Amino acid sequence: MKLEKILPFASRLLKDSLTHGDIAVDGTVGNGFDTVFLADLVGEEGHVYGFDIQQAAIDQTEKKLASEKVTERCTLFTAGHEQVTYRIPEKHHGQIKAAIFNLGYLPGGDKSIITHFETTISSVEQLLDIMAPGGMIVLVIYHGHPGGAEERDHLLEYAAALSQHRAHVLQYQFINQVNDPPFILAIEKI
């Protein structure tokens, strides 16, 4: 057996959670890589809802979706992920099978614009309410930047306190690497 690195493991969790026709959420579209990945997993019959507060991220993701010819199966919002309940149509509540968040800042963007634990926890709480049973939330936590340690600590505290009757929570992390390597919190709705 070979240990998977963080991003391949996140991808595997999503692959194991989604099939064609499913609904997925990209809570931080960033440069669009995960949005395209999700669009491929849900296929033509499925749909992906993507969120980002930065117009540059939305613009980059729209270009990537167009180049991969998957635009029609994605809806992007220039809005924070804490608006999932209000932005995702009610007809898809109860059908969401997976969500991914890459927390921190937009690679290649303004490093002073970061994710915050308050909005991330709000989004996770909302997703746990509107996801299908067995739905998977994958948080990739980058914490080696100003504000990152605070977000990490609050998310770990939040996740550890989730009732085991509401969700299963896994922390996947390499503990002997330097420079604050990212890690995963995977939350599976019961």
Side-chain angles (χ1 to χ4, degrees), residues 31-95:
N31 288 311
F33 296 103
D34 286 334
T35 315
V36 168
F37 181 69
L38 293 171
D40 287 338
L41 292 175
V42 302
E44 291 180 13
E45 305 83 29
H47 204 81
V48 177
Y49 293 98
F51 294 81
D52 210 293
I53 62 170
Q54 295 184 72
Q55 189 60 49
I58 297 296
D59 293 344
Q60 176 64 27
T61 300
E62 285 176 342
K63 288 177 189 171
K64 193 167 287 306
L65 293 172
S67 72
E68 298 293 327
K69 298 179 177 33
V70 293
T71 301
E72 71 285 347
R73 60 184 93 155
C74 299
T75 301
L76 302 180
F77 300 107
T78 308
H81 47 234
E82 73 276 10
Q83 295 185 31
V84 293
T85 298
Y86 312 105
R87 298 288 183 137
I88 295 175
E90 203 168 307
K91 68 180 182 178
H92 286 147
H93 291 195
Q95 297 180 31

Side-chain angles (χ1 to χ4, degrees), residues 6 11 37 43 46 84 119 128 148 168 176:
I6 295 300
S11 295
F37 181 69
V84 293
T119 58
L128 286 172
H168 298 292
N176 66 338

Side-chain angles (χ1 to χ4, degrees), residues 63-144:
K63 288 177 189 171
K64 193 167 287 306
L65 293 172
S67 72
E68 298 293 327
K69 298 179 177 33
V70 293
T71 301
E72 71 285 347
R73 60 184 93 155
C74 299
T75 301
L76 302 180
F77 300 107
T78 308
H81 47 234
E82 73 276 10
Q83 295 185 31
V84 293
T85 298
Y86 312 105
R87 298 288 183 137
I88 295 175
E90 203 168 307
K91 68 180 182 178
H92 286 147
H93 291 195
Q95 297 180 31
I96 301 164
K97 296 286 185 75
I100 180 133
F101 297 75
N102 282 291
L103 303 176
Y105 57 84
L106 174 64
D110 182 346
K111 292 181 181 179
S112 70
I113 302 173
I114 61 172
T115 55
H116 297 277
F117 73 88
E118 300 94 341
T119 58
T120 302
I121 290 172
S122 174
S123 183
V124 169
E125 278 291 307
Q126 291 174 52
L127 283 167
L128 286 172
D129 288 340
I130 67 172
M131 290 185 96
M136 178 68 67
I137 301 168
V138 179
L139 302 170
V140 183
I141 301 173
Y142 293 87
H143 55 101

Side-chain angles (χ1 to χ4, degrees), residues 150-164:
E150 180 184 23
E151 183 174 39
R152 174 200 65 211
D153 293 347
H154 282 280
L155 287 171
L156 286 170
E157 181 180 334
Y158 164 77
L162 278 171
S163 167
Q164 66 182 1

